[in-house]
Amino acid sequence: MRIISVNVNGIQAAAQRGLLSWLQAQNADVICLQDTSASALELDDPAYQLDGYFLYACDAEIPEQGGVALYSRLQPKAVITGLGFETADRYGRYLQADFDKVSIASLLVPSGHGGDANLNHKLKFMDEFAHYLDKQRRKRREYIYCGSLYVAHQKLDVKNWRDCQQDPGFLAPERAWLDEIFGNMGYIDALREVNREGDLFSWWPDTEQAEMLNLGWRFDYQILTSGLRRFVRSARLPRQPRFSQHAPLIVDYDWTLSL
């Protein structure tokens, strides 16, 4: 099973850069997109369909403020939109597809950039989502959360980490949030399960210098329930081609989707 997750920073612009033709060639079973900045109605357009895939979308009240989508080769048993709290559901931040023994979700966390109000909104979302994840551990199924989290977890997840400790995305409370998820809650960081190398980033500031010097941050994850740990086979963050400020995260699993 191959799962691709990518924050597209607006699906229209990403499609113009060749996203959909690239995705069509990747032989993925499930593709999760974040920050589509499009309504579910807009995504019904044939321009956004992939041959052989079912497409599901969850939009924000104001489409440009968020939105997630999911392509699946296998039609899910059920599709769930929303998390039941305002910081998620007003902004189209969550979409989940249920299969036989596993659920796969596309998740968009607020970036927290742009001032204290935005950072506080992000921290509120993170607190509410942590409570949700804690409850999910009691379910008798496996979960894969394909999340654009806008948090770099460890020092090796951000270039020049010493200079970034006061920046949203690498603040102590944000990193402690991931410590809780990957520590006490027992969830798995799919990439780090198979690759401990540094300089593996998924987002870069939109400057020529950042690109040239690889001044990146790892903001994008596939978060797994513990039962999936042994099924992670490989994970990679290809820098090229890129269709937004984010690189795709491609994870292969020794698992087969079924209904």
Side-chain angles (χ1 to χ4, degrees):
M1 176 176 70
R2 171 169 291 178
I3 299 178
I4 296 177
S5 178
V6 57
N7 183 320
V8 296
N9 294 144
I11 193 169
Q12 183 177 6
Q16 291 172 352
R17 297 184 184 110
L19 171 71
L20 295 171
S21 58
W22 180 83
L23 289 173
Q24 187 76 66
Q26 297 310 302
N27 195 32
D29 295 279
V30 175
I31 299 162
C32 293
L33 305 183
Q34 298 89 36
D35 196 12
T36 57
S37 298
S39 69
L41 184 61
E42 288 176 290
L43 291 179
D44 279 340
D45 190 305
Y48 299 116
Q49 308 303 307
L50 293 179
D51 290 341
Y53 289 85
F54 298 94
L55 170 59
Y56 306 92
C58 176
D59 51 16
E61 286 182 5
I62 301 173
E64 294 76 17
Q65 292 184 348
V68 291
L70 184 149
Y71 294 90
S72 176
R73 276 181 170 164
L74 187 65
Q75 187 170 16
K77 296 168 69 173
V79 175
I80 299 167
T81 59
L83 289 166
F85 49 87
E86 184 190 25
T87 53
D89 298 351
R90 281 190 63 191
Y91 301 93
R93 299 196 182 281
Y94 189 82
L95 175 68
Q96 174 181 310
D98 293 344
F99 302 95
D100 180 27
K101 296 178 181 178
V102 65
S103 295
I104 301 170
S106 188
L107 167 71
L108 175 63
V109 173
S111 73
H113 296 140
D116 289 345
N118 290 343
L119 179 59
N120 289 335
H121 175 74
K122 178 182 186 178
L123 295 174
K124 187 173 190 295
F125 175 93
M126 291 165 67
D127 182 60
E128 291 175 312
F129 187 62
H131 286 297
Y132 174 84
L133 285 180
D134 197 33
K135 293 177 183 176
Q136 292 300 100
R137 294 190 295 166
R138 306 184 189 110
K139 301 287 181 69
R140 294 185 176 179
R141 62 174 28 246
E142 304 296 344
Y143 289 86
I144 300 173
Y145 300 99
C146 296
S148 197
L149 306 185
Y150 287 101
V151 180
H153 184 205
Q154 299 174 324
K155 294 174 183 177
L156 76 166
D157 294 320
V158 58
K159 196 80 165 184
N160 301 330
W161 65 268
R162 289 181 180 84
D163 300 329
C164 300
Q165 295 177 84
Q166 303 304 316
D167 297 335
F170 201 61
L171 298 174
E174 297 173 303
R175 298 175 63 202
W177 178 70
L178 281 181
D179 286 341
E180 178 70 14
I181 291 170
F182 294 134
N184 293 337
M185 290 190 196
Y187 285 92
I188 306 302
D189 179 346
L191 178 72
R192 289 307 180 203
E193 191 61 25
V194 293
N195 194 327
R196 297 294 303 171
E197 294 178 13
D199 288 353
L200 294 175
F201 306 130
S202 70
W203 178 90
W204 296 261
D206 193 15
T207 68
E208 186 176 339
Q209 183 185 39
E211 180 71 30
M212 183 174 60
L213 299 178
N214 194 23
L215 302 177
W217 304 56
R218 187 169 72 100
F219 280 161
D220 299 272
Y221 298 74
Q222 292 189 27
I223 300 172
L224 322 175
T225 42
S226 58
L228 291 170
R229 178 195 294 267
R230 63 191 177 93
F231 294 101
V232 184
R233 190 171 73 202
S234 66
R236 55 195 177 94
L237 286 163
R239 288 185 65 186
Q240 297 296 334
R242 210 164 74 238
F243 310 98
S244 68
Q245 281 185 268
H246 296 253
L249 172 57
I250 305 172
V251 183
D252 291 330
Y253 299 87
D254 289 322
W255 184 285
T256 302
L257 280 186
S258 61
L259 288 178

